Amino acid sequence: MTADALPPDLAACDLEPIRWPGAIQPHGRMLVLDAQTLQPVAASAGWPASEREAMLAALDRAALSSLPAAGAGTSPIGLGRVQLPGGAAQEVSAHRTPTHVIVECEDASALDHGPAPFYALARNFLARLNEARDLPALCLLAAQEMRRVSGFGRALVYRFDEDGHGEVLAESLEPDYDSYLGHHFPASDIPRQARALYLLNHFRLIPDARYAPVPLLGLGGGAASEIDLSHALLRSVSPVHLEYMRNMGTLASMSVSIVVDGRLWGLVSCHNHAARTLAPDARAACEHLGQLLSLQIGALQAAEEAAARLELRQLTLSLVAQLAESDGTLSRLVDTSGLLRLARASGAAVVLDEAVWTVGTTPPAAALESLARWVVARGEEVYASDALARDFDGQPALRESAAGVLAVSISQVHRHVILWFRPEIVRTVRWAGNPRKTLDDTGRIHPRKSFDSWVEHLGGRSARWLPSELAAVRELRDALIGIVLRRAQEMADAATALGRVNKELEAFSYTVSHDLRAPMRHIAGYADLVLEMDGAHVSERGRRYLGHVKEAAAYAGQLVDALLDFSRLGRAALKPRSVDTAAMVADLVRELQREDPGRRVHWEVMPDLPALYGDPLLLQVATRNLLANAQKYTRRQAAPHIAVRAVVRAAGTGLEVEDNGVGFEMKYADKLFGVFQRLHAAEEFEGTGIGLANVKRIVERHGGEVWARGAPQQGAAFGFLLPGALTD
């Protein structure tokens, strides 16, 4: 054999033109007609012209013209037996392609004619078909029946996985045949385009793997290599596959496709040590058996899928109900056992932006945040992988606790992700021979020569995520989005109602405080009048009581004034502009020093105070409250010290006032900015308890934030931060 005639490398199997081989198997003859004129355009080599013309004359041209176009899963249509003058009777079949009518002829005397296979199939197989309650039993029944109908020495039923590898699920064989039950065949044994052809043509027969292909020759100069033989029974197969069969000790083979839901699920593959062919009715019976097997497998899978979906849907509804009865926070999901059961996972995590909650066995929080960012960046609602370390670069450490991940992204705006994890499963795969190919001395890759058991341990992957599990988490995602949206609407409604109530309260407090000012003044005034007009007749005890009345009325007046100021702060419109903070603080410090001239407070005002953007009057009120509080609560210190410093952050700028006064315990920090909240008795430090509430209201109206920190007898610090230019 010349170098040009060498069989193609396995490396190029996916590129080999197996649908247009330009040749047929030698156990028959082929005549190719033009689809429109029914004139011959090509024929197999070695067929005398006189016999071709006799065959063409014997064919029913009306039957040829009415042939339907061959489609996926269809076989050539039998045209019966034709007796040629002076020759053997021929079994004839034909099918139509978009451009040709392909006529195939086989010597009727050479075909194996056994008992009527359809009768035996209906009597034996169909009666037992419904008895098979699971997949192994069904596949074994099919293997036994296929071997009986075909007469081949070994029948295997094997299934393709997602990577194209085949696993033998059942077999029926004669004593002198090797067993491949439980073995795997690598995807390279049946290249991608061969699997695609099995999906198109469900039956293939090779009576003798030692054959030499018969060329298909064009009549009148046409190119026979352009004729599509995808549905032809006589189509010549790849030389590589013939070598593969001989290496396997198989001279005759037959394959019937198992197609479930439009996908090539697997094959029934029959082998024979000696050459063997089949009569048309036996072939049709084998094809029919394959169709019945496909339907039954589809029914079993559909029943299992429906049961699984029902169970998982009940879990989903339970999870959603528990979440709906709570506050609707997604972190509540980790408090339920159903979250792990929903995806049959060993661990799960809920990631809400920077916050992480986990249940079961999961990677560290930092790895979860990184994984959540990666999942969100993919832009997929549901992402599943059983080999995360392969897909998620740079994270091999995830392999132990998270070899597989299932993730749903809840929000398109925020990083709200639910993750489920499965551990690594080291699988032991028993191959029918070493699946790895080796080069010979010429650099050519040959098919495997050995099919002895070869064991390989495969790691780095988890159990696969089933379609029912993907559907369940997708349904959970939709339900959670509904809960989140409902909670958001409820919060929006509550915020609207709260805003309305707040406005009503502000109006009420303004009215009450305004109306109470006059009575408080009247009380103090009448007490003065009593002392002035009838002071000589009032006892010492009476004078003391009237003094208490005046003090109480004065304090009540201060509270009313403070409440009125607080109400005005919420009602007044903001008039923001740039404020010279340094000048404002200097004026306020001088004012406070004039009010308490006897004290020697060390004021430390930093020189780099930034300009603030806000309402000048309100900012002055807020700053004065902070400075006045610092001066008041350092009263007991021998050397009072107050520092005013700038605060500059990415979120904005502000001020902080720190003192060395009485301080406070941090557990009370949240109470300090409430209305009328005091940590010290009025007898110790005067005041209404509303100053810090005014600070908080002013700062929040500007879109800023306030804070406080301190320790008992070690001083305190109060500050606020304002954003950039206001848009309100």
Side-chain angles (χ1 to χ4, degrees), residues 84-107:
L84 296 178
Q90 301 288 304
E91 290 284 355
V92 181
S93 61
H95 67 279
R96 176 183 292 274
T97 72
T99 55
H100 299 105
V101 171
I102 298 176
V103 180
E104 300 177 80
C105 307
E106 296 179 75
D107 188 349

Side-chain angles (χ1 to χ4, degrees), residues 495-509 697:
T496 301
L498 185 60
R500 184 173 61 253
V501 171
N502 280 338
K503 288 184 178 180
E504 293 174 355
L505 285 175
E506 287 178 1
F508 175 75
S509 62
R697 169 163 282 204

Side-chain angles (χ1 to χ4, degrees), residues 172-299:
S172 176
L173 65 160
E174 294 179 357
D176 58 338
Y177 283 79
D178 294 332
S179 172
Y180 293 122
L181 183 63
H183 287 61
H184 291 70
F185 289 82
S188 57
D189 281 8
I190 304 179
R192 186 184 302 109
Q193 66 163 342
R195 292 195 294 273
L197 189 53
Y198 277 122
L199 189 59
L200 184 67
N201 187 347
H202 294 179
F203 182 86
R204 189 204 63 190
L205 175 66
I206 303 174
D208 192 340
R210 299 165 299 186
Y211 78 82
V214 176
L216 191 61
L217 304 177
L219 304 177
S225 61
E226 297 179 357
I227 297 175
D228 185 357
L229 301 182
S230 298
H231 288 87
L233 294 169
L234 296 174
R235 177 182 59 85
S236 183
V237 301
S238 167
V240 175
H241 182 71
L242 297 177
E243 184 180 351
Y244 178 92
M245 288 178 58
R246 295 192 294 270
N247 292 345
M248 197 177 184
T250 297
L251 287 186
S253 74
M254 180 187 72
S255 298
V256 178
S257 304
I258 304 173
V259 179
V260 178
D261 295 331
R263 183 179 64 88
L264 184 63
W265 185 93
L267 292 174
V268 182
S269 184
C270 297
H271 309 140
N272 210 64
H273 288 329
R276 180 173 181 77
T277 187
L278 287 178
D281 55 351
R283 297 175 190 173
C286 291
E287 281 191 80
H288 189 59
L289 194 154
Q291 293 171 352
L292 292 174
L293 178 60
S294 299
L295 291 172
Q296 195 68 4
I297 289 176

Side-chain angles (χ1 to χ4, degrees), residues 567-586:
S567 300
R568 285 171 175 166
L569 292 178
R571 297 163 61 88
L574 295 180
K575 299 177 181 178
R577 60 181 176 83
S578 181
V579 177
D580 186 343
T581 311
M584 177 183 69
V585 170

Side-chain angles (χ1 to χ4, degrees), residues 26-87:
H27 63 278
R29 296 175 176 179
M30 180 175 289
L31 183 62
V32 181
L33 310 178
D34 182 270
Q36 302 299 323
T37 65
L38 297 182
Q39 294 301 309
V41 295
S44 53
W47 196 1
S50 58
E51 292 186 14
R52 293 199 313 265
E53 292 171 358
M55 174 59 69
L56 185 60
L59 294 174
D60 185 345
R61 297 181 68 86
L64 293 177
S65 299
S66 62
L67 283 172
T74 61
S75 298
I77 296 174
L79 300 181
R81 184 172 297 184
V82 174
Q83 179 67 53
L84 296 178

Side-chain angles (χ1 to χ4, degrees), residues 10-28:
L10 285 183
C13 279
D14 278 339
L15 303 177
E16 191 176 357
I18 60 174
R19 298 191 186 190
W20 303 271
I24 65 170
Q25 299 182 52
H27 63 278

